[in-house]
Amino acid sequence: MAHDLVIVANRLPVDRVTDRDGKTTWRASPGGLVSAIEPVMRAHDGVWVGWSGGSEQRLKPFKVNGLQLVPLALSAEEVEEHYEGFSNGTLWPLYHDLVAKPEFHREWWDSYVKVNRRFAEKTAELAAKGATVWVHDYQLQLVPQMLRELRPDLRIGFYLHIPFPPAELFQQLPWRRQILEGLLGADLVGFQLPGAAQNFIRLVRQRVGHKTHRDLVYLPDGRTVRAAAFPISIDAAGFEELARSEAVTERAAAIRDALGNPSKIFLGIDRLDYTKGIYARLRAFGELISDGDLTVDDAVFVQVAVPSRERVEHYRNLRDDIDRLVGRLNGDLGRIGTPAISYLHTSYPREEMAALYRAADIMVVTPYRDGMNLVAKEYVACRIEEDGALVLSEFAGAADELRQAWLVNPYDMNGMKAALLEAHQAEPKELTRRMKAMRKQIAQHDVKAWADSFMTELAEDGQHSKSVLPATRS
Ligand code: GDG
């Protein structure tokens, strides 16, 4: 069946689970992308193409919670080279300010091209004539161009969820030109922040040699490509409703109880990723206690680290480092029944996340670089009493909107300690003033507004190029 909307993303928004009788079913999985796209899919009755997470070759399209999903298979070698290799060992660190050293391997690149082609071919099969296709994220940057070659009738949008680096870093990539040309297959290329769109336009001008003006690229065949910022957001009303529910309210109180009712609870929730700055924030907190600025009765730090990319070496090392640090801090600073840090290496259902957000007095989000960071926005949405403090890295995209947070530079240990302490000691009036302003921002700019603005611009661009220019390559 042909579809008018095709969402293309590396992963399907589900995980495969095998029950006790050996029967396999699919379960909706957590993650930034899923939280954002699901409402769009439902509204447009779209189909989602993505990797199933396994290597099984013959999976049929299926439905989960009413979402139509088309699984693509990756071989074990492709998982290693396309996903763990080029996507997460090359692009992820390169696009996050070289927080870790990217590795460049030609066989990883070959696999990246091959997998991108498979996604493009499957999408070309599924899309109806003139359909809209929305391609997501760094794993699939070649799909727009490959798809346009197969199906010039489609409207193609691309959205990058992670930062797009400045030219000085991007140009290290041996395949920089191919990536830029891949993205230029789209009609609209969306980024989290205006600076990322500007980085892209500048690189296209310098490296590919196309004419550009403001947010437009003029291609030799007469087509124009727009690059613009669409800061992603959350289902703010949905989170608020969840936070208000009786079950979540009770659970939040039970969490405080279980922690021994300390006067203040600090909270971090992140995928266990080296970009998120988990190690540095725990160190800062530990130092506040060892310096005597805080005591374990004043404060406990709850850190949820969601398992992620566990087969990639950097991630395994990070886990070991954090395990050691938490062990050392609790050994040095804790008392029987009163650890300094309550560390959980696991993932939770949405209700538990909301309860944690409600239970926490100070949310600590300190990435070295982050496209947006939805956790910061979710915390704000759940603070229905208009209290609670957000300590937020200025290098998270969310810092552009959440100006009333305690903004910190995560590389500055003393600055981070000072901000944690200030947030801990802030007067209720000050907390409310800041939280009110942030809640207003999130309520007015939710995920629906984000998706609508991207889709509207994608459709309008079409009218624009059609009215101004004759159709090309039909
Ligand atoms: C990438 C970019 C950008 C996490 N643990 C659980 C869980 N989550 C949900 C959170 C939140 C999402 O996952 C995480 O999103 P973030 O934005 O914080 O970070 P990334 O995963 O790195 O996302 C990021 C995002 O894409 C969207 O464009 O903001 O910059 O790096 O929604 O709630 N959800 C549940 N259980 C968990 O244990 N249910």
Side-chain angles (χ1 to χ4, degrees), residues 161 192 271 276 306 347-348 353 370-374 378:
H161 290 257
Q192 301 277 18
R271 268 188 314 97
K276 302 286 185 185
V306 181
S347 71
Y348 287 117
M353 303 269 293
D370 213 331
M372 176 55 63
N373 198 293
L374 297 178
E378 289 165 5

Side-chain angles (χ1 to χ4, degrees), residues 232-246:
I232 201 168
S233 194
I234 56 161
D235 174 11
F239 265 99
E240 176 160 346
E241 196 187 320
L242 191 62
R244 276 186 201 286
S245 71
E246 205 173 310

